[in-house]
Amino acid sequence: MAKPSVSASPSSTPLLKDELDIVIPTIRNLDFLEMWRPFFQPYHLIIVQDGDPSKVIKVPEGFAYELYNRNDINKILGPKASCISFKDSACRCFGYMVSKKKYIYTIDDDCFVAKDPTGKEINALEQHIKNLLCPSTPFFFNTLYDPYRDGADFVRGYPFSLREGVPTAVSHGLWLNIPDYDAPTQLVKPLERNTRYVDAVMTIPKGTLFPMCGMNLAFDRELIGPAMYFGLMGDGQPIGRYDDMWAGWCIKVICDHLGLGVKTGLPYIWHSKASNPFVNLKKEYKGIYWQEELIPFFQSVALPKECTSVQKCYLELSKQVKAKLGKVDDYFNKLADAMITWIEAWDELNPSTATAA
Amino acid sequence: MAKPSVSASPSSTPLLKDELDIVIPTIRNLDFLEMWRPFFQPYHLIIVQDGDPSKVIKVPEGFAYELYNRNDINKILGPKASCISFKDSACRCFGYMVSKKKYIYTIDDDCFVAKDPTGKEINALEQHIKNLLCPSTPFFFNTLYDPYRDGADFVRGYPFSLREGVPTAVSHGLWLNIPDYDAPTQLVKPLERNTRYVDAVMTIPKGTLFPMCGMNLAFDRELIGPAMYFGLMGDGQPIGRYDDMWAGWCIKVICDHLGLGVKTGLPYIWHSKASNPFVNLKKEYKGIYWQEELIPFFQSVALPKECTSVQKCYLELSKQVKAKLGKVDDYFNKLADAMITWIEAWDELNPSTATAA
């Protein structure tokens, strides 16, 4: 089996240097970038400033970036800015829309460089890029994990017709130290830390939903960008902390429909501090029970075969959200409308790949 | 979330000492047991002697075992012995049938004790038992792997209604050193060794098939035993090396239907030597192309809701095999008949759990 060749020696040009934007939502100075300098400095940053737009966010010297605050978002999108959340890290998806690059990596500003079990600092971005450039295998499970990795392959019994894999749209990375728990679990286990380094990357099988965390996430904008909408959260909305989950359920059913792959596992980042579980509980509690209806909904979504582009899939999904989740709460009617606005705004900023094109 | 408590201190009674049989198919003296003595000696062994029944198999002293050769199998099963393969390790499934215990662990005689990254010898059986006694989570993917393990849990976005999990029917362990490759991959990569210790156990999601290897496998006989049939392989049959694969596809669709879990990952054993790829190619080549029709078949199997026991599921599956795979090759008509014979033999030896019961 010929393998895709993806390698990067430290001396060579960083992988995809001119084809990837790093999107960071923040409300504070970006001192955390100092630690990432050896890995991020060659890349362009898109900073989405949340909260008070008059506040000045300091970015360490030497980084190339563009920064958008709420005033910028309102100016660029006009009335369509209503689909971008405020006072919630869900605002990061504006950065996906405004980027002109093929790939996006997004990271939270409380995430630091983790170390592998040998003590070596992990270049998370490089691992994400490797994940995105190697195929995925969503149709059959490989027990030795990523079959394209050095030292691994497809095991006995893996159908040969499936060994070419499919293009990878999303790479979901994990977190050492503070795990990504919901408020009830945080409250019950305040001292739990993730210390287990699992040396694996795997494809999430077709038909299986997963909880996608936006803390350490990369994706191919051309393949799945228009579905990476983080919904309506935060200011004026009844929930928070479900932005990345919502996006994850949407992208998964669309990737499954379009034959694209979603990977999870390596790379790890070091998640430095737990958010306040009491505040989180307030943000999450409606999501916690709505979710019990959302999961069966997403598990049963069927997209018609006329949905041949991400935009078409996403608009169809918004219709089904309104039809089936509108009765759970009126919030989902608003969300369904915002999903349409999001696609309109995406197409306006990305005319060459627009729905009509 | 309350967790199932499964622990074993070295000084305590070994887990499930009187509820588990170790099934070993072999054609040679069982010297490999010396290495396993600290872990296996408390348990009862069922040795299924393949090939020439007049040969005497030596078992190291101190092990409690029963041994069945072909003459024994013929005597016990009479004409139904036709469903048990000869000159192929598929004969091991006779051991599953003749056991009276709730749990089975089966291992090949070229598998030795592996070491974890700290150099500690791995008690594979203990890990399998932990896997079997903890629930599985087939309905939604947990990105931090087994949520019941110490130091892990369900991550944010995992539906609370699914956190109790379902009973685990099968625990599929992995292999360090010689990976379980098919003949073409063996031929292309004769020197590849698996050196990567992935510290994870995971549930294979509902609706996803996997290549189940019989080398290092444990299961709950009461939950899934009658579906653990390793088919017709070896002497007089057109294929080999698909015995465990066949069983894996059958048990997976039945576990999915009955709401039971299948896990893969830890524990590792040390697989000492690669089998001959030229011999393997001869055994496998029909399987390699038949498989391209088998996988779509198993992916589309639907069991009616009247199938409420493993036996009923398995008999229904045999009907569908005959109806849909009989045209691929007459071999599948024979196999479908053997599947029925297997259930009849199983029920005869296990009357209290028989189909009619």
Side-chain angles (χ1 to χ4, degrees):
Chain A
M1 183 76 201
K3 295 201 174 186
S5 166
V6 181
S7 63
S9 72
S11 59
S12 70
T13 307
L15 283 167
L16 304 180
K17 183 183 141 0
D18 299 316
E19 295 174 73
L20 182 141
D21 280 329
I22 300 175
V23 172
I24 304 164
T26 194
I27 51 169
R28 58 190 142 233
N29 295 334
L30 292 178
D31 305 324
F32 91 111
L33 285 173
E34 277 306 344
M35 200 184 188
W36 288 104
R37 190 181 287 278
F39 306 127
F40 287 179
Q41 196 163 350
Y43 296 88
H44 183 77
L45 313 180
I46 296 179
I47 299 161
V48 184
Q49 178 180 349
D50 197 17
D52 180 5
S54 70
K55 189 177 166 187
V56 176
I57 301 281
K58 276 194 233 159
V59 181
E61 261 187 56
F63 285 94
Y65 68 92
E66 53 200 295
L67 183 150
Y68 299 92
N69 64 28
R70 191 70 206 183
N71 294 337
D72 302 316
I73 295 173
N74 289 340
K75 202 175 336 170
I76 292 169
L77 294 184
K80 296 195 184 78
S82 62
C83 73
I84 303 297
S85 298
F86 186 50
K87 293 194 180 166
D88 192 287
S89 72
C91 68
R92 76 174 83 208
C93 65
F94 177 75
Y96 312 157
M97 183 187 268
V98 86
S99 165
K100 292 287 165 279
K101 305 284 175 63
K102 182 166 161 54
Y103 299 97
I104 297 285
Y105 175 51
T106 186
I107 183 171
D108 281 3
D109 62 6
D110 63 348
C111 292
F112 300 146
V113 177
K115 289 181 177 169
D116 72 17
T118 71
K120 195 177 160 234
E121 297 206 319
I122 298 167
N123 184 345
L125 181 50
E126 183 182 66
Q127 179 67 49
H128 275 297
I129 291 170
K130 287 181 182 179
N131 293 350
L132 289 171
L133 296 184
C134 264
S136 291
T137 53
F139 305 121
F140 199 84
F141 191 92
N142 195 49
T143 51
L144 287 185
Y145 311 97
D146 179 1
Y148 303 109
R149 192 169 171 187
D150 278 346
D153 212 309
F154 293 95
V155 300
R156 180 171 58 92
Y158 203 102
F160 280 82
S161 61
L162 297 178
R163 295 191 186 195
E164 300 218 334
V166 301
T168 302
V170 177
S171 168
H172 176 260
L174 300 175
W175 343 276
L176 290 172
N177 194 38
I178 306 288
D180 187 33
Y181 288 163
D182 47 68
T185 308
Q186 279 185 298
L187 288 164
V188 171
K189 293 175 142 184
L191 299 179
E192 187 146 296
R193 297 294 177 264
N194 186 26
T195 59
R196 184 173 295 123
Y197 181 94
V198 174
D199 188 12
V201 177
M202 53 188 316
T203 299
I204 300 174
K206 183 177 178 179
T208 300
L209 294 174
F210 77 115
M212 187 180 81
C213 171
M215 219 188 303
N216 172 26
L217 180 72
F219 61 93
D220 183 323
R221 249 184 112 250
E222 286 180 11
L223 289 179
I224 199 66
M228 249 331 156
Y229 175 45
F230 273 41
L232 295 175
M233 303 282 147
D235 202 40
Q237 306 300 339
I239 55 169
R241 283 171 60 83
Y242 273 87
D243 51 338
D244 41 6
M245 298 300 142
W246 179 262
W249 299 327
C250 292
I251 64 97
K252 189 57 170 57
V253 298
I254 292 174
C255 283
D256 284 351
H257 174 75
L258 295 175
L260 301 171
V262 177
K263 291 182 184 173
T264 184
L266 302 182
Y268 287 93
I269 52 79
W270 181 266
H271 187 203
S272 64
K273 62 173 194 294
S275 44
N276 184 318
F278 301 98
V279 173
N280 290 345
L281 189 59
K282 190 179 166 193
K283 292 178 181 175
E284 284 174 15
Y285 79 97
K286 290 197 174 180
I288 284 173
Y289 67 87
W290 284 346
Q291 175 176 289
E292 300 294 339
E293 311 225 28
L294 300 185
I295 298 307
F297 165 75
F298 280 103
Q299 283 174 335
S300 67
V301 160
L303 297 171
K305 67 174 187 310
E306 292 73 47
C307 293
T308 51
S309 71
V310 179
Q311 279 98 328
K312 284 178 188 166
C313 290
Y314 202 71
L315 291 173
E316 169 65 26
L317 196 55
S318 81
K319 254 191 250 173
Q320 297 188 22
V321 166
K322 186 166 269 189
K324 298 196 179 150
L325 296 178
K327 55 180 180 273
V328 172
D329 193 279
D330 191 45
Y331 168 73
F332 292 100
N333 289 316
K334 285 200 312 186
L335 179 54
D337 289 337
M339 291 167 75
I340 298 172
T341 306
W342 159 264
I343 292 292
E344 289 169 353
W346 182 283
D347 284 353
E348 206 171 286
L349 294 188
N350 298 274
S352 68
T353 60
T355 313
Chain B
M1 184 75 202
K3 296 203 171 183
S5 164
V6 180
S7 63
S9 71
S11 59
S12 70
T13 308
L15 283 166
L16 304 181
K17 183 182 140 4
D18 299 317
E19 296 175 72
L20 182 142
D21 279 330
I22 299 175
V23 173
I24 304 165
T26 193
I27 52 170
R28 57 190 143 233
N29 295 334
L30 292 178
D31 305 323
F32 92 112
L33 285 173
E34 279 305 345
M35 199 183 189
W36 287 103
R37 191 181 287 278
F39 306 126
F40 288 179
Q41 196 162 351
Y43 295 89
H44 183 77
L45 312 181
I46 296 179
I47 299 161
V48 184
Q49 178 180 349
D50 198 16
D52 181 5
S54 69
K55 190 177 165 187
V56 176
I57 301 280
K58 276 194 232 160
V59 181
E61 259 186 59
F63 285 93
Y65 68 92
E66 51 200 295
L67 182 151
Y68 299 93
N69 64 28
R70 192 69 207 185
N71 294 338
D72 302 316
I73 295 172
N74 289 339
K75 203 175 334 172
I76 292 168
L77 294 184
K80 296 195 184 77
S82 62
C83 72
I84 304 296
S85 299
F86 186 49
K87 294 194 180 165
D88 192 287
S89 71
C91 68
R92 75 174 82 207
C93 65
F94 177 76
Y96 312 158
M97 182 187 270
V98 86
S99 165
K100 292 288 166 278
K101 306 284 174 62
K102 182 165 161 56
Y103 298 96
I104 295 285
Y105 175 51
T106 185
I107 182 171
D108 281 2
D109 62 7
D110 63 348
C111 291
F112 299 146
V113 177
K115 290 180 177 169
D116 72 16
T118 70
K120 195 177 161 233
E121 296 206 322
I122 298 166
N123 184 345
L125 181 50
E126 183 182 65
Q127 179 67 48
H128 275 297
I129 291 171
K130 287 181 182 180
N131 293 349
L132 289 172
L133 296 184
C134 264
S136 291
T137 52
F139 304 122
F140 199 83
F141 192 93
N142 195 48
T143 51
L144 287 185
Y145 311 98
D146 180 2
Y148 304 109
R149 193 168 171 187
D150 277 346
D153 212 308
F154 293 96
V155 299
R156 180 171 58 92
Y158 203 102
F160 280 82
S161 62
L162 297 176
R163 295 190 186 195
E164 300 218 332
V166 302
T168 302
V170 178
S171 168
H172 176 261
L174 299 175
W175 342 275
L176 289 172
N177 194 37
I178 307 288
D180 187 32
Y181 288 164
D182 47 66
T185 308
Q186 279 186 298
L187 288 164
V188 170
K189 293 175 141 185
L191 299 179
E192 187 145 296
R193 298 293 177 267
N194 186 25
T195 59
R196 182 174 297 122
Y197 182 93
V198 175
D199 188 11
V201 177
M202 54 189 318
T203 299
I204 301 174
K206 182 177 178 180
T208 300
L209 294 173
F210 77 114
M212 187 180 81
C213 171
M215 218 189 301
N216 172 27
L217 180 73
F219 60 93
D220 183 323
R221 247 183 113 251
E222 286 180 11
L223 288 179
I224 198 65
M228 250 329 156
Y229 175 45
F230 273 42
L232 295 175
M233 304 282 148
D235 202 41
Q237 305 301 339
I239 54 169
R241 284 172 61 83
Y242 274 87
D243 52 339
D244 41 5
M245 297 300 140
W246 180 262
W249 300 326
C250 292
I251 62 98
K252 190 58 171 57
V253 298
I254 292 174
C255 283
D256 283 351
H257 174 74
L258 295 175
L260 301 170
V262 177
K263 290 181 185 174
T264 184
L266 302 181
Y268 287 92
I269 52 79
W270 180 264
H271 187 204
S272 65
K273 61 173 196 293
S275 45
N276 184 317
F278 301 98
V279 173
N280 290 346
L281 189 60
K282 189 179 166 193
K283 292 179 180 173
E284 283 175 16
Y285 78 98
K286 290 196 175 180
I288 284 173
Y289 68 85
W290 285 344
Q291 176 175 289
E292 300 295 338
E293 311 225 28
L294 300 184
I295 298 307
F297 165 75
F298 280 103
Q299 283 173 336
S300 67
V301 160
L303 297 170
K305 67 176 188 308
E306 293 73 45
C307 292
T308 51
S309 70
V310 180
Q311 279 98 327
K312 284 179 188 165
C313 290
Y314 202 71
L315 291 172
E316 169 64 27
L317 196 54
S318 81
K319 253 191 251 174
Q320 297 188 22
V321 166
K322 186 166 269 188
K324 296 197 182 151
L325 295 177
K327 55 181 179 271
V328 172
D329 193 280
D330 191 46
Y331 167 74
F332 293 99
N333 290 316
K334 285 200 312 187
L335 180 54
D337 290 338
M339 291 167 75
I340 298 170
T341 306
W342 160 265
I343 292 292
E344 289 168 354
W346 183 282
D347 284 354
E348 207 170 286
L349 294 188
N350 298 275
S352 68
T353 60
T355 313

mmCIF file with all atom_site columns, all heavy atoms in Angstrom, chain B residues 330-343:
data_model
loop_
_atom_site.group_PDB
_atom_site.id
_atom_site.type_symbol
_atom_site.label_atom_id
_atom_site.label_alt_id
_atom_site.label_comp_id
_atom_site.label_asym_id
_atom_site.label_entity_id
_atom_site.label_seq_id
_atom_site.pdbx_PDB_ins_code
_atom_site.Cartn_x
_atom_site.Cartn_y
_atom_site.Cartn_z
_atom_site.occupancy
_atom_site.B_iso_or_equiv
_atom_site.pdbx_formal_charge
_atom_site.auth_seq_id
_atom_site.auth_comp_id
_atom_site.auth_asym_id
_atom_site.auth_atom_id
_atom_site.pdbx_PDB_model_num
ATOM 1   N N   . ASP B 1 330 ? -20.785 -21.408 -3.671 1.00 0.00 ? 330 ASP B N   1
ATOM 2   C CA  . ASP B 1 330 ? -21.539 -22.464 -2.998 1.00 0.00 ? 330 ASP B CA  1
ATOM 3   C C   . ASP B 1 330 ? -21.011 -22.706 -1.576 1.00 0.00 ? 330 ASP B C   1
ATOM 4   O O   . ASP B 1 330 ? -21.728 -23.216 -0.713 1.00 0.00 ? 330 ASP B O   1
ATOM 5   C CB  . ASP B 1 330 ? -21.465 -23.753 -3.831 1.00 0.00 ? 330 ASP B CB  1
ATOM 6   C CG  . ASP B 1 330 ? -22.446 -24.803 -3.308 1.00 0.00 ? 330 ASP B CG  1
ATOM 7   O OD1 . ASP B 1 330 ? -23.613 -24.442 -3.042 1.00 0.00 ? 330 ASP B OD1 1
ATOM 8   O OD2 . ASP B 1 330 ? -22.026 -25.966 -3.131 1.00 0.00 ? 330 ASP B OD2 1
ATOM 9   N N   . TYR B 1 331 ? -19.751 -22.317 -1.348 1.00 0.00 ? 331 TYR B N   1
ATOM 10  C CA  . TYR B 1 331 ? -19.180 -22.436 -0.002 1.00 0.00 ? 331 TYR B CA  1
ATOM 11  C C   . TYR B 1 331 ? -20.094 -21.810 1.058  1.00 0.00 ? 331 TYR B C   1
ATOM 12  O O   . TYR B 1 331 ? -20.223 -22.324 2.167  1.00 0.00 ? 331 TYR B O   1
ATOM 13  C CB  . TYR B 1 331 ? -17.795 -21.771 0.026  1.00 0.00 ? 331 TYR B CB  1
ATOM 14  C CG  . TYR B 1 331 ? -17.239 -21.558 1.415  1.00 0.00 ? 331 TYR B CG  1
ATOM 15  C CD1 . TYR B 1 331 ? -16.745 -22.630 2.165  1.00 0.00 ? 331 TYR B CD1 1
ATOM 16  C CD2 . TYR B 1 331 ? -17.201 -20.287 1.980  1.00 0.00 ? 331 TYR B CD2 1
ATOM 17  C CE1 . TYR B 1 331 ? -16.239 -22.427 3.448  1.00 0.00 ? 331 TYR B CE1 1
ATOM 18  C CE2 . TYR B 1 331 ? -16.695 -20.079 3.258  1.00 0.00 ? 331 TYR B CE2 1
ATOM 19  C CZ  . TYR B 1 331 ? -16.224 -21.151 3.986  1.00 0.00 ? 331 TYR B CZ  1
ATOM 20  O OH  . TYR B 1 331 ? -15.715 -20.961 5.245  1.00 0.00 ? 331 TYR B OH  1
ATOM 21  N N   . PHE B 1 332 ? -20.739 -20.702 0.713  1.00 0.00 ? 332 PHE B N   1
ATOM 22  C CA  . PHE B 1 332 ? -21.560 -20.006 1.710  1.00 0.00 ? 332 PHE B CA  1
ATOM 23  C C   . PHE B 1 332 ? -22.863 -20.745 2.007  1.00 0.00 ? 332 PHE B C   1
ATOM 24  O O   . PHE B 1 332 ? -23.435 -20.569 3.078  1.00 0.00 ? 332 PHE B O   1
ATOM 25  C CB  . PHE B 1 332 ? -21.792 -18.549 1.296  1.00 0.00 ? 332 PHE B CB  1
ATOM 26  C CG  . PHE B 1 332 ? -20.514 -17.755 1.338  1.00 0.00 ? 332 PHE B CG  1
ATOM 27  C CD1 . PHE B 1 332 ? -19.777 -17.512 0.180  1.00 0.00 ? 332 PHE B CD1 1
ATOM 28  C CD2 . PHE B 1 332 ? -20.002 -17.309 2.542  1.00 0.00 ? 332 PHE B CD2 1
ATOM 29  C CE1 . PHE B 1 332 ? -18.572 -16.827 0.226  1.00 0.00 ? 332 PHE B CE1 1
ATOM 30  C CE2 . PHE B 1 332 ? -18.797 -16.623 2.599  1.00 0.00 ? 332 PHE B CE2 1
ATOM 31  C CZ  . PHE B 1 332 ? -18.076 -16.378 1.438  1.00 0.00 ? 332 PHE B CZ  1
ATOM 32  N N   . ASN B 1 333 ? -23.319 -21.581 1.065  1.00 0.00 ? 333 ASN B N   1
ATOM 33  C CA  . ASN B 1 333 ? -24.444 -22.464 1.395  1.00 0.00 ? 333 ASN B CA  1
ATOM 34  C C   . ASN B 1 333 ? -24.027 -23.490 2.442  1.00 0.00 ? 333 ASN B C   1
ATOM 35  O O   . ASN B 1 333 ? -24.748 -23.746 3.408  1.00 0.00 ? 333 ASN B O   1
ATOM 36  C CB  . ASN B 1 333 ? -24.945 -23.170 0.127  1.00 0.00 ? 333 ASN B CB  1
ATOM 37  C CG  . ASN B 1 333 ? -25.648 -22.199 -0.816 1.00 0.00 ? 333 ASN B CG  1
ATOM 38  O OD1 . ASN B 1 333 ? -26.446 -21.376 -0.382 1.00 0.00 ? 333 ASN B OD1 1
ATOM 39  N ND2 . ASN B 1 333 ? -25.328 -22.280 -2.102 1.00 0.00 ? 333 ASN B ND2 1
ATOM 40  N N   . LYS B 1 334 ? -22.834 -24.056 2.229  1.00 0.00 ? 334 LYS B N   1
ATOM 41  C CA  . LYS B 1 334 ? -22.313 -25.016 3.211  1.00 0.00 ? 334 LYS B CA  1
ATOM 42  C C   . LYS B 1 334 ? -22.105 -24.349 4.569  1.00 0.00 ? 334 LYS B C   1
ATOM 43  O O   . LYS B 1 334 ? -22.414 -24.906 5.628  1.00 0.00 ? 334 LYS B O   1
ATOM 44  C CB  . LYS B 1 334 ? -20.961 -25.587 2.740  1.00 0.00 ? 334 LYS B CB  1
ATOM 45  C CG  . LYS B 1 334 ? -21.055 -26.602 1.624  1.00 0.00 ? 334 LYS B CG  1
ATOM 46  C CD  . LYS B 1 334 ? -19.795 -27.488 1.535  1.00 0.00 ? 334 LYS B CD  1
ATOM 47  C CE  . LYS B 1 334 ? -18.502 -26.696 1.570  1.00 0.00 ? 334 LYS B CE  1
ATOM 48  N NZ  . LYS B 1 334 ? -17.296 -27.495 1.321  1.00 0.00 ? 334 LYS B NZ  1
ATOM 49  N N   . LEU B 1 335 ? -21.564 -23.139 4.514  1.00 0.00 ? 335 LEU B N   1
ATOM 50  C CA  . LEU B 1 335 ? -21.295 -22.413 5.758  1.00 0.00 ? 335 LEU B CA  1
ATOM 51  C C   . LEU B 1 335 ? -22.608 -22.091 6.486  1.00 0.00 ? 335 LEU B C   1
ATOM 52  O O   . LEU B 1 335 ? -22.708 -22.239 7.721  1.00 0.00 ? 335 LEU B O   1
ATOM 53  C CB  . LEU B 1 335 ? -20.510 -21.132 5.447  1.00 0.00 ? 335 LEU B CB  1
ATOM 54  C CG  . LEU B 1 335 ? -20.138 -20.241 6.627  1.00 0.00 ? 335 LEU B CG  1
ATOM 55  C CD1 . LEU B 1 335 ? -19.402 -20.993 7.722  1.00 0.00 ? 335 LEU B CD1 1
ATOM 56  C CD2 . LEU B 1 335 ? -19.276 -19.057 6.162  1.00 0.00 ? 335 LEU B CD2 1
ATOM 57  N N   . ALA B 1 336 ? -23.619 -21.678 5.728  1.00 0.00 ? 336 ALA B N   1
ATOM 58  C CA  . ALA B 1 336 ? -24.919 -21.370 6.339  1.00 0.00 ? 336 ALA B CA  1
ATOM 59  C C   . ALA B 1 336 ? -25.489 -22.614 7.023  1.00 0.00 ? 336 ALA B C   1
ATOM 60  O O   . ALA B 1 336 ? -26.039 -22.525 8.133  1.00 0.00 ? 336 ALA B O   1
ATOM 61  C CB  . ALA B 1 336 ? -25.886 -20.840 5.280  1.00 0.00 ? 336 ALA B CB  1
ATOM 62  N N   . ASP B 1 337 ? -25.342 -23.776 6.375  1.00 0.00 ? 337 ASP B N   1
ATOM 63  C CA  . ASP B 1 337 ? -25.805 -25.023 6.998  1.00 0.00 ? 337 ASP B CA  1
ATOM 64  C C   . ASP B 1 337 ? -25.007 -25.328 8.263  1.00 0.00 ? 337 ASP B C   1
ATOM 65  O O   . ASP B 1 337 ? -25.563 -25.754 9.281  1.00 0.00 ? 337 ASP B O   1
ATOM 66  C CB  . ASP B 1 337 ? -25.681 -26.192 6.009  1.00 0.00 ? 337 ASP B CB  1
ATOM 67  C CG  . ASP B 1 337 ? -26.705 -26.081 4.869  1.00 0.00 ? 337 ASP B CG  1
ATOM 68  O OD1 . ASP B 1 337 ? -27.735 -25.398 5.060  1.00 0.00 ? 337 ASP B OD1 1
ATOM 69  O OD2 . ASP B 1 337 ? -26.453 -26.662 3.797  1.00 0.00 ? 337 ASP B OD2 1
ATOM 70  N N   . ALA B 1 338 ? -23.703 -25.100 8.178  1.00 0.00 ? 338 ALA B N   1
ATOM 71  C CA  . ALA B 1 338 ? -22.851 -25.371 9.341  1.00 0.00 ? 338 ALA B CA  1
ATOM 72  C C   . ALA B 1 338 ? -23.206 -24.448 10.517 1.00 0.00 ? 338 ALA B C   1
ATOM 73  O O   . ALA B 1 338 ? -23.107 -24.839 11.683 1.00 0.00 ? 338 ALA B O   1
ATOM 74  C CB  . ALA B 1 338 ? -21.379 -25.210 8.965  1.00 0.00 ? 338 ALA B CB  1
ATOM 75  N N   . MET B 1 339 ? -23.632 -23.236 10.190 1.00 0.00 ? 339 MET B N   1
ATOM 76  C CA  . MET B 1 339 ? -24.043 -22.299 11.250 1.00 0.00 ? 339 MET B CA  1
ATOM 77  C C   . MET B 1 339 ? -25.251 -22.864 12.012 1.00 0.00 ? 339 MET B C   1
ATOM 78  O O   . MET B 1 339 ? -25.346 -22.719 13.238 1.00 0.00 ? 339 MET B O   1
ATOM 79  C CB  . MET B 1 339 ? -24.392 -20.927 10.646 1.00 0.00 ? 339 MET B CB  1
ATOM 80  C CG  . MET B 1 339 ? -23.179 -20.172 10.102 1.00 0.00 ? 339 MET B CG  1
ATOM 81  S SD  . MET B 1 339 ? -23.633 -18.731 9.058  1.00 0.00 ? 339 MET B SD  1
ATOM 82  C CE  . MET B 1 339 ? -24.154 -17.533 10.299 1.00 0.00 ? 339 MET B CE  1
ATOM 83  N N   . ILE B 1 340 ? -26.142 -23.501 11.274 1.00 0.00 ? 340 ILE B N   1
ATOM 84  C CA  . ILE B 1 340 ? -27.307 -24.121 11.935 1.00 0.00 ? 340 ILE B CA  1
ATOM 85  C C   . ILE B 1 340 ? -26.868 -25.322 12.783 1.00 0.00 ? 340 ILE B C   1
ATOM 86  O O   . ILE B 1 340 ? -27.278 -25.470 13.938 1.00 0.00 ? 340 ILE B O   1
ATOM 87  C CB  . ILE B 1 340 ? -28.351 -24.557 10.877 1.00 0.00 ? 340 ILE B CB  1
ATOM 88  C CG1 . ILE B 1 340 ? -28.855 -23.326 10.117 1.00 0.00 ? 340 ILE B CG1 1
ATOM 89  C CG2 . ILE B 1 340 ? -29.515 -25.300 11.529 1.00 0.00 ? 340 ILE B CG2 1
ATOM 90  C CD1 . ILE B 1 340 ? -29.707 -23.651 8.897  1.00 0.00 ? 340 ILE B CD1 1
ATOM 91  N N   . THR B 1 341 ? -26.009 -26.145 12.186 1.00 0.00 ? 341 THR B N   1
ATOM 92  C CA  . THR B 1 341 ? -25.494 -27.305 12.922 1.00 0.00 ? 341 THR B CA  1
ATOM 93  C C   . THR B 1 341 ? -24.803 -26.861 14.209 1.00 0.00 ? 341 THR B C   1
ATOM 94  O O   . THR B 1 341 ? -24.952 -27.473 15.270 1.00 0.00 ? 341 THR B O   1
ATOM 95  C CB  . THR B 1 341 ? -24.501 -28.090 12.040 1.00 0.00 ? 341 THR B CB  1
ATOM 96  O OG1 . THR B 1 341 ? -25.153 -28.410 10.812 1.00 0.00 ? 341 THR B OG1 1
ATOM 97  C CG2 . THR B 1 341 ? -24.019 -29.353 12.729 1.00 0.00 ? 341 THR B CG2 1
ATOM 98  N N   . TRP B 1 342 ? -24.015 -25.800 14.093 1.00 0.00 ? 342 TRP B N   1
ATOM 99  C CA  . TRP B 1 342 ? -23.320 -25.246 15.263 1.00 0.00 ? 342 TRP B CA  1
ATOM 100 C C   . TRP B 1 342 ? -24.298 -24.893 16.388 1.00 0.00 ? 342 TRP B C   1
ATOM 101 O O   . TRP B 1 342 ? -24.074 -25.234 17.553 1.00 0.00 ? 342 TRP B O   1
ATOM 102 C CB  . TRP B 1 342 ? -22.502 -24.021 14.826 1.00 0.00 ? 342 TRP B CB  1
ATOM 103 C CG  . TRP B 1 342 ? -22.122 -23.071 15.921 1.00 0.00 ? 342 TRP B CG  1
ATOM 104 C CD1 . TRP B 1 342 ? -22.785 -21.937 16.297 1.00 0.00 ? 342 TRP B CD1 1
ATOM 105 C CD2 . TRP B 1 342 ? -20.993 -23.178 16.806 1.00 0.00 ? 342 TRP B CD2 1
ATOM 106 N NE1 . TRP B 1 342 ? -22.144 -21.317 17.341 1.00 0.00 ? 342 TRP B NE1 1
ATOM 107 C CE2 . TRP B 1 342 ? -21.036 -22.052 17.674 1.00 0.00 ? 342 TRP B CE2 1
ATOM 108 C CE3 . TRP B 1 342 ? -19.948 -24.094 16.939 1.00 0.00 ? 342 TRP B CE3 1
ATOM 109 C CZ2 . TRP B 1 342 ? -20.080 -21.835 18.660 1.00 0.00 ? 342 TRP B CZ2 1
ATOM 110 C CZ3 . TRP B 1 342 ? -18.992 -23.863 17.936 1.00 0.00 ? 342 TRP B CZ3 1
ATOM 111 C CH2 . TRP B 1 342 ? -19.063 -22.761 18.777 1.00 0.00 ? 342 TRP B CH2 1
ATOM 112 N N   . ILE B 1 343 ? -25.395 -24.228 16.032 1.00 0.00 ? 343 ILE B N   1
ATOM 113 C CA  . ILE B 1 343 ? -26.382 -23.852 17.053 1.00 0.00 ? 343 ILE B CA  1
ATOM 114 C C   . ILE B 1 343 ? -27.037 -25.104 17.643 1.00 0.00 ? 343 ILE B C   1
ATOM 115 O O   . ILE B 1 343 ? -27.245 -25.189 18.868 1.00 0.00 ? 343 ILE B O   1
ATOM 116 C CB  . ILE B 1 343 ? -27.447 -22.889 16.466 1.00 0.00 ? 343 ILE B CB  1
ATOM 117 C CG1 . ILE B 1 343 ? -26.814 -21.540 16.122 1.00 0.00 ? 343 ILE B CG1 1
ATOM 118 C CG2 . ILE B 1 343 ? -28.626 -22.702 17.443 1.00 0.00 ? 343 ILE B CG2 1
ATOM 119 C CD1 . ILE B 1 343 ? -26.344 -20.714 17.316 1.00 0.00 ? 343 ILE B CD1 1
#
